[in-house]
Amino acid sequence: MRRLRQADWSRRLVRETAISVNDLIWPIFVREGGGAPQPIASMPGVDRLSVEGCVEVAKRARDLGIPVLALFPYTDPDKRDETGSEALNEGNLVCRASRAIKAAVPEVGILCDVALDPYTSHGHDGVMEGDRILNDESVELLCRQAVVQANSGCDIIGPSDMMDGRVACIRAALDSAGRRDTMIMAYSAKYASAFYGPFRDAVGSGGMLKGDKRTYQMDFGNTDEAVREAAQDIAEGADMIMVKPGLPYLDVLGRLAREFGVPTFAYQTSGEYSMIMAAVERGWLDGDKAMIETLSAYKRAGAAGILSYFSPRVAEALRS
Ligand code: PBG
């Protein structure tokens, strides 16, 4: 087999899978106010951006050929409350950023998370009664959040809340609001994970979170359950599904991609990103090589695409 490995051209010729710019979804963080990008301590190289900053990033995504941006808000603490009501405000950060991006750069797709955690005072994804999360009451709010986002220009709704039955309700709500073309990428297999830590810093919910999310996010020992989650989401109308986190769950990704044949995405989470970046900062890893190798691993496992904070850097690297 080493005959084929001799030269760069023959390695390229027989390569089975490769990452391409078309596989990338670039998550960005939007904040209030103007001015320069604001660094996020636990995510070196990732910033919180003003709405205008998001438009600049969208132009860069277009020029690099990155198909989709995923928008996440840093909501000021005084706008957070028990029920995450800011999520339903058409003038919230994500909605303003979506409208601004759609007006300036309509050729780039926009994905918005549906979950209340950037807006709640307790940092959970739904509404609480004491320390219990209420499924159906949460779903009702999530449907309204989805419609508000779709009306602001969001192309893909990404329910990341892990409530039962939310995809069907969101699909019905979008349809009756005249948003039949808005897609749903369901976070189908979303595990209760340590790898979301830096993201929670980025959106400002880390310090607020009371307890953990294990009563609604999946237990990391389970795979059959991921198959049931995905089957339900697809039956309820999901156009695409997702596995999250990515690298520690490639077995789940591979199984869902093979079993359903529905476009299956991976989320290379903040913790995975920061783990690599921390080692790079210490000179222990070659960042470009580690980034391309891990993103290729998602593709090899069967991913249709990857949400990655490395997206712009990967797109640059693939060009040169
Ligand atoms: C919100 C949400 C989270 C992430 C994406 N959407 C955090 C969480 O569920 O606590 C994590 C993304 C990342 O770590 O990069 N529901």
Side-chain angles (χ1 to χ4, degrees):
M1 281 184 275
R2 288 193 49 215
R3 267 193 297 272
L4 298 177
R5 293 181 201 142
Q6 283 180 92
D8 181 61
W9 65 261
S10 62
R11 288 191 295 270
R12 281 190 285 124
L13 182 69
V14 300
R15 184 169 295 149
E16 296 168 39
T17 47
I19 181 84
S20 128
V21 70
N22 299 320
D23 300 321
L24 299 173
I25 299 178
W26 180 3
I28 61 172
F29 297 101
V30 54
R31 61 168 173 80
E32 292 292 348
Q38 186 184 82
I40 300 160
S42 54
M43 299 185 75
V46 178
D47 303 307
R48 296 189 194 98
L49 308 166
S50 63
V51 170
E52 301 75 56
C54 291
V55 174
E56 291 315 304
V57 158
K59 290 180 185 158
R60 192 159 160 232
R62 175 195 58 202
D63 297 345
L64 287 167
I66 296 173
V68 182
L69 290 176
L71 305 183
F72 295 99
Y74 172 88
T75 309
D76 289 326
D78 62 324
K79 289 216 172 102
R80 289 168 173 264
D81 60 23
E82 283 284 311
T83 59
S85 55
E86 178 67 5
L88 308 181
N89 172 7
E90 285 169 22
N92 73 23
L93 269 171
V94 159
C95 293
R96 273 186 279 143
S98 294
R99 282 194 295 269
I101 292 170
K102 274 293 151 192
V105 198
E107 53 277 72
V108 171
I110 299 179
L111 183 154
C112 294
D113 230 47
V114 162
L116 300 180
D117 58 321
Y119 309 102
T120 50
S121 46
H122 43 68
H124 281 286
D125 293 24
V127 283
M128 310 289 288
E129 187 176 71
D131 57 4
R132 246 166 38 91
I133 192 153
L134 301 175
N135 193 88
D136 296 6
E137 289 77 354
S138 299
V139 168
E140 206 180 303
L141 294 178
L142 297 166
C143 289
R144 289 167 58 194
Q145 179 184 23
V147 170
V148 166
Q149 290 173 339
N151 286 342
S152 305
C154 168
D155 302 291
I156 309 172
I157 292 293
S160 80
D161 53 284
M162 290 302 279
M163 295 301 112
D164 284 335
R166 87 272 210 221
V167 173
C169 293
I170 290 172
R171 183 70 269 160
L174 290 171
D175 290 352
S176 54
R179 297 286 165 191
R180 289 189 180 77
D181 292 335
T182 304
M183 305 166 204
I184 298 179
M185 181 189 289
Y187 286 66
S188 295
K190 179 172 179 180
Y191 288 86
S193 171
F195 289 96
Y196 308 151
F199 172 96
R200 291 179 190 165
D201 288 345
V203 300
S205 60
M208 306 203 163
L209 183 62
K210 299 194 180 86
D212 58 47
K213 301 191 177 183
R214 285 185 295 180
T215 68
Y216 47 106
Q217 298 181 347
M218 282 180 56
D219 187 290
F220 52 67
N222 298 350
T223 338
D224 289 342
E225 189 190 355
V227 175
R228 291 171 57 211
E229 283 281 3
Q232 273 189 24
D233 287 351
I234 294 164
E236 289 180 23
D239 303 287
M240 302 172 267
I241 58 174
M242 193 208 294
V243 174
K244 181 181 171 207
L247 220 51
Y249 298 87
L250 287 187
D251 56 328
V252 179
L253 175 69
R255 188 165 165 198
L256 296 191
R258 274 194 308 278
E259 199 139 333
F260 295 104
V262 167
T264 304
F265 288 77
Y267 200 135
Q268 182 183 44
T269 49
S270 57
E272 298 172 66
Y273 171 84
S274 298
M275 219 160 43
I276 294 174
M277 291 304 289
V280 169
E281 282 188 347
R282 293 186 169 204
W284 291 352
L285 280 181
D286 177 318
D288 278 340
K289 285 188 177 152
M291 153 187 104
I292 298 289
E293 187 177 331
T294 49
L295 286 165
S296 301
Y298 293 110
K299 286 298 285 183
R300 198 180 59 238
I306 304 110
L307 288 93
S308 173
Y309 302 98
F310 285 116
S311 291
R313 190 165 161 188
V314 176
E316 303 273 7
L318 292 175
R319 278 189 158 185
S320 53

